Amino acid sequence: MKNRPGPRCTALLAATALAATTLTGCGYLPGTGDSATTVTVWLMKDSASDGFVQRFTRQFESEHKNIRLDVRIQEWGGIGAKVTGALRSGDGPDLIEVGNTQVAMYAQSGGLRDLTLESVRDLGSKDWLPGLADPGSINGAQYGIPWYAANRVVIYNKDLFRDAGITEPPRTRAQWITDTEKLNGGGRQGIYLAGQDWYTLSGFIWDEGGELAEEAGGNYTGALDSPAAIRGMDFYKELQGLGRGPKNSDEAHPQQADVFAGGDVAQIVAVPGTAQTILKSNPQLKGRLGFFPIPGRTAARPSAVFTGGSDLIIPDKARHGDAAVTVVEALAGRKWQTELARTMSYVPNKTTLAGVVKGEEGTAAMAAGAARGRATPNSPRWAAVEADNPIKPYMTDVLTGEDAATAARKASKLLTDELVDR
């Protein structure tokens, strides 16, 4: 899932193929000769800076003199059709970055290389973030190797917290509600939470032990009507009701960063990178923004969160698949995970690497939540769900007064209809 909020959130599968910008062999060294294997790599736009790509290419080629890299930057729009076509034809790249929740769709085509052996032997898969690793695993085979993650945290206005007498961020849901109530009044809005922010709702549902959809025998059925999922929706309704966010639109309509930049909103739920958008709109907020993990039911651990980010896949028909595995091992290994996390303010792919972002308040808060990260149901048809997402109107129905159980049953049926393997 391309949850590059603004994530990199899953804007999936437009049908047009787009031309790629190419960063070719940035660090190619004289003397490697024509016998060197050229590995073609597709990376997505804005996933890694040009500087990172050039540094990686330069060092990788210096350490692997028989491999050259041809890195081609792709647009997210239309990438689904482009990747699917490449997997079918065998004329595509050797290594592809894909959104974590897209792996199941590509695996269904049968065109992906099984990387289970490499993931266990060389990459230390036991420590991978579950929100990246689980979507990359289909029927016990690891097709997607986790690359980077991003997830939501609470961005807050430190001045408004201090004015309300709140000296430290809440660590439990109950305290979060109490603090948000305190933040209301005096011209302040305790929280801005749009009515259809279904990614945030998903975390509350998982935190209660519920699911968006459940799998049995390879088939998925909607599960929004389970008692646990309804409890998650009940909490969302309570929290959303403490602000003035719209009940019938998502966090992009209007852009919640612009609302927060007005200066009278105390909190939003967003990825830490949203802070840069806020400061661009209102530079006077510089030094006044803080971050904390979304609180959980108890202080022992933060809430579950939706994990966006990317996995790395290798086509089964790749001309240079073995060399591509070597590239994956480098990109997913400690050195370049550390470099990518610090360069791009991402969460690295392993829980054991969380310490590399220590000192970066927003990224550290994100990493704390990522340890409990989840992804959307691992169905190859989930992209169809997001194209006409029944979770959003379900949320609006509940927030505007419809009985939660009735609305959940209706939404669950719509989810099941979308997830049926046709």
Side-chain angles (χ1 to χ4, degrees):
M1 168 223 96
K2 150 198 184 259
N3 180 44
R4 290 256 333 195
R8 254 186 281 161
C9 290
T10 43
L12 290 176
L13 309 183
T16 53
L18 298 174
T21 303
T22 306
L23 294 171
T24 307
C26 306
Y28 176 53
L29 297 178
T32 56
D34 293 336
S35 62
T37 296
T38 297
V39 175
T40 301
V41 182
W42 283 4
L43 298 182
M44 301 309 299
K45 184 178 180 181
D46 297 330
S47 284
S49 67
D50 288 353
F52 174 89
V53 173
Q54 291 165 7
R55 289 192 301 276
F56 175 78
T57 301
R58 207 161 33 236
Q59 184 158 339
F60 181 88
E61 290 183 349
S62 74
E63 294 172 352
H64 303 83
K65 302 224 186 300
N66 62 334
I67 301 176
R68 295 177 63 187
L69 299 183
D70 179 8
V71 181
R72 304 184 179 192
I73 306 303
Q74 309 293 311
E75 298 283 349
W76 283 106
I79 194 60
K82 191 169 185 178
V83 170
T84 300
L87 294 177
R88 273 199 209 103
S89 70
D91 295 329
D94 302 295
L95 171 60
I96 308 173
E97 174 198 348
V98 299
N100 58 328
T101 61
Q102 296 175 337
V103 178
M105 177 180 66
Y106 298 135
Q108 187 182 44
S109 72
L112 299 188
R113 177 168 173 154
D114 184 349
L115 298 169
T116 306
L117 180 61
E118 288 84 358
S119 70
V120 173
R121 182 188 64 205
D122 300 320
L123 296 174
S125 58
K126 68 182 187 327
D127 297 324
W128 279 342
L129 296 178
L132 294 180
D134 292 350
S137 177
I138 315 296
N139 297 325
Q142 194 74 40
Y143 294 106
I145 301 299
W147 192 30
Y148 68 81
N151 51 265
R152 287 158 177 75
V153 300
V154 181
I155 302 176
Y156 72 102
N157 185 315
K158 293 179 179 180
D159 288 354
L160 298 187
F161 267 56
R162 185 181 61 249
D163 292 347
I166 301 170
T167 58
E168 60 182 15
R171 295 181 59 199
T172 68
R173 280 194 194 173
Q175 189 61 50
W176 195 15
I177 292 293
T178 299
D179 288 350
T180 303
E181 290 172 339
K182 285 183 184 177
L183 287 160
N184 278 321
R188 297 185 303 261
Q189 183 178 171
I191 191 167
Y192 180 89
L193 182 61
Q196 294 184 348
D197 183 355
W198 71 278
Y199 288 119
T200 296
L201 170 64
S202 297
F204 298 156
I205 289 174
W206 294 326
D207 215 35
E208 291 287 349
E211 300 288 345
L212 303 180
E214 295 178 332
E215 186 268 341
N219 294 313
Y220 284 83
T221 56
L224 295 172
D225 53 343
S226 73
I230 290 174
R231 289 196 301 272
M233 184 64 224
D234 287 343
F235 179 75
Y236 189 98
K237 182 177 182 179
E238 181 180 12
L239 184 65
Q240 201 271 343
L242 296 176
R244 297 192 292 273
K247 301 185 187 309
N248 61 350
S249 62
D250 61 24
E251 64 275 21
H253 302 90
Q255 288 289 346
Q256 62 176 353
D258 294 335
V259 177
F260 187 92
D264 63 349
V265 173
Q267 307 170 88
I268 57 172
V269 179
V271 294
T274 304
Q276 299 307 312
T277 305
I278 293 167
L279 293 176
K280 186 175 181 180
S281 295
N282 185 358
Q284 293 182 359
L285 289 176
K286 186 174 182 179
R288 297 164 59 188
L289 302 183
F291 310 83
F292 59 87
I294 297 173
R297 296 173 65 195
T298 71
R301 58 186 187 177
S303 175
V305 291
F306 171 79
T307 299
S310 288
D311 282 10
L312 301 169
I313 62 172
I314 297 176
D316 199 35
K317 296 179 181 178
R319 289 185 292 274
H320 307 298
D322 290 344
V325 168
T326 303
V327 181
V328 169
E329 289 170 349
L331 286 171
R334 181 182 184 88
K335 173 181 171 54
W336 291 104
Q337 280 293 298
T338 300
E339 176 82 1
L340 185 65
R342 290 175 176 169
T343 299
M344 303 300 296
S345 297
Y346 291 149
V347 179
N349 64 3
K350 290 184 178 181
T351 56
T352 50
L353 293 177
V356 306
V357 294
K358 187 176 180 180
E360 297 289 335
E361 185 183 359
T363 312
M366 189 163 59
R372 299 201 63 222
R374 296 276 304 274
T376 50
N378 209 12
S379 164
R381 293 196 52 78
W382 189 259
V385 169
E386 294 195 25
D388 188 21
N389 195 334
I391 303 175
K392 288 185 171 185
Y394 157 64
M395 297 172 72
T396 295
D397 288 345
V398 175
L399 294 176
T400 54
E402 186 170 338
D403 174 69
T406 301
R409 283 194 296 272
K410 179 172 63 177
S412 291
K413 183 179 184 306
L414 291 172
L415 275 177
T416 300
D417 291 344
E418 290 285 359
L419 292 169
V420 169
D421 189 10
R422 295 178 175 84

